[in-house]
Amino acid sequence: FADADRFQGLRRSASSVRSSASSTLLRALTGCSQLRALDLRSSYLSSEAAQQLAYFVSKSQLTCLGLADCLLEEKVELLLGAVVDCRSLVYLNLRLNGLTGHTGIDVCQALDSSVSLTEVDLASNDLDDTFGEAFARVLATN
């Protein structure tokens, strides 16, 4: 059991290091006004990091935002307003993020409000028929 406790502690430490590294990176991004593409694939984003990213995205000139395999789950909701606010964003990758039910509906609402998105990757999420129907309505009106 001592080894199991030590392993749990290491996992928590690794998680806080990843979270700290993400936060440091995102703070540094605020000075990158010319950045057009950002791929954070497989990055762990804490709620704080997701909020920092949202602030950056909303003020940026990004055309491409890759967040595949970040396991955002409900934290994606922190980013959706920024996706709508970023009028230059044309590509959004949310593959493998554990998106489900109501989160998928929130994604649809953001897609419906976006004036610039033309390509969105939602593969390998657990999106259900309700999402599919909402997504079809968004596609029909855009």
Side-chain angles (χ1 to χ4, degrees):
F1 291 110
D3 286 337
D5 290 340
R6 204 170 315 134
F7 181 70
Q8 284 291 85
L10 288 173
R11 193 174 353 184
R12 278 191 293 268
S13 295
S15 177
S16 66
V17 167
R18 286 191 308 257
S19 177
S20 175
S22 295
S23 292
T24 301
L25 171 67
L26 293 169
R27 277 193 300 276
L29 284 175
T30 58
C32 299
S33 61
Q34 299 302 312
L35 190 65
R36 297 294 180 255
L38 179 61
D39 190 343
L40 295 173
R41 176 187 345 216
S42 298
S43 298
Y44 174 78
L45 297 177
S46 66
S47 292
E48 177 187 350
Q51 289 172 332
Q52 289 172 337
L53 178 60
Y55 177 79
F56 170 74
V57 169
S58 69
K59 307 288 185 207
S60 76
Q61 295 298 311
L62 287 177
T63 59
C64 175
L65 178 59
L67 297 171
D69 198 20
C70 290
L71 297 175
L72 289 170
E73 298 171 334
E74 269 97 37
K75 290 181 279 188
V76 75
E77 294 172 7
L78 299 169
L79 296 164
L80 294 177
V83 166
V84 171
D85 291 343
C86 183
R87 296 183 169 272
S88 59
L89 191 66
V90 295
Y91 175 76
L92 177 63
N93 188 339
L94 292 174
R95 174 186 290 258
L96 284 165
N97 272 291
L99 304 181
T100 61
H102 77 277
T103 307
I105 300 302
D106 292 340
V107 169
C108 284
Q109 291 170 343
L111 296 176
D112 196 34
S113 298
S114 173
V115 297
S116 58
L117 278 172
T118 58
E119 188 174 347
V120 180
D121 187 343
L122 295 169
S124 300
N125 285 292
D126 194 20
L127 298 166
D128 57 16
D129 290 345
T130 304
F131 164 80
E133 293 167 3
F135 191 62
R137 283 192 297 275
V138 169
L139 292 177
T141 60
N142 285 313

